[in-house]
Amino acid sequence: MSQVTLYHNPRCSKSRETCQLLRDNGIEPLVREYLKDVPSADELRDVLSALGISARELLRTKEAEYKELGLADTSLSDDQIIAAMVQCPKLIERPIAIRDGKARIGRPPESVLEIL
C-alpha cells in the first residue's frame, strides 16, 4: 500500500482522531505538522486538486486571521487565498489525508477511509 500523508495539527482533536483511525486501520501515516512545515503555494494547489475543491473551501473561517486578512471578500482569487494560507497556515482546514493523488479532509475522521 502506498504512503498516506497526513496534514496534522496535534492540538486539534479531529486531527488526533484521524491519525489514530489510520493507525487503527494498520496505516502509519507520514505526519506533516503543517504549522511547522508550511506547505508551499504549489503544494497547496496539489492538495486542492486532490480534494477537488476551491481554495476558499479549504479556509478555516472562524480563525481571527480570516477576518483580519479580509478573506471573506468573495472577489479574492484562489491564488490570493492560497497566498494567505501560506502566510498563515492555521487558516488551512485540517486534517487532510493524501494518498495516490487523492485527498480527504478528516471531518468527520472516517471520511479519510475513502482513499485507503
Side-chain angles (χ1 to χ4, degrees), residues 20-108:
Q20 188 58 52
L21 179 65
L22 289 169
R23 289 177 175 143
D24 290 348
N25 280 274
I27 296 163
E28 184 58 42
L30 173 64
V31 173
R32 179 166 183 181
E33 289 190 38
Y34 67 94
L35 295 176
K36 294 178 183 176
D37 180 13
V38 180
S40 69
D42 285 340
E43 287 174 310
L44 284 176
R45 283 186 196 89
D46 289 344
V47 168
L48 289 166
S49 177
L51 287 166
I53 64 174
S54 70
R56 181 162 300 284
E57 293 172 278
L58 192 60
L59 275 174
R60 293 180 57 82
T61 60
K62 294 184 179 169
E63 298 294 340
E65 291 83 357
Y66 177 83
K67 185 175 182 180
E68 291 166 10
L69 295 172
L71 296 173
D73 180 351
T74 57
S75 71
L76 293 175
S77 69
D78 271 7
D79 285 342
Q80 290 170 305
I81 293 170
I82 289 168
M85 286 190 272
V86 170
Q87 174 189 342
C88 184
K90 69 191 278 188
L91 289 166
I92 301 169
E93 187 59 85
R94 63 188 179 252
I96 304 168
I98 306 162
R99 178 176 167 256
D100 292 338
K102 296 178 185 173
R104 294 291 182 274
I105 297 172
R107 292 183 176 270

Side-chain angles (χ1 to χ4, degrees), residues 1 4 17-29 109-114 116:
M1 180 179 284
V4 174
E17 288 173 29
T18 300
C19 192
Q20 188 58 52
L21 179 65
L22 289 169
R23 289 177 175 143
D24 290 348
N25 280 274
I27 296 163
E28 184 58 42
E110 295 76 20
S111 66
V112 303
L113 298 176
E114 297 171 8
L116 301 184

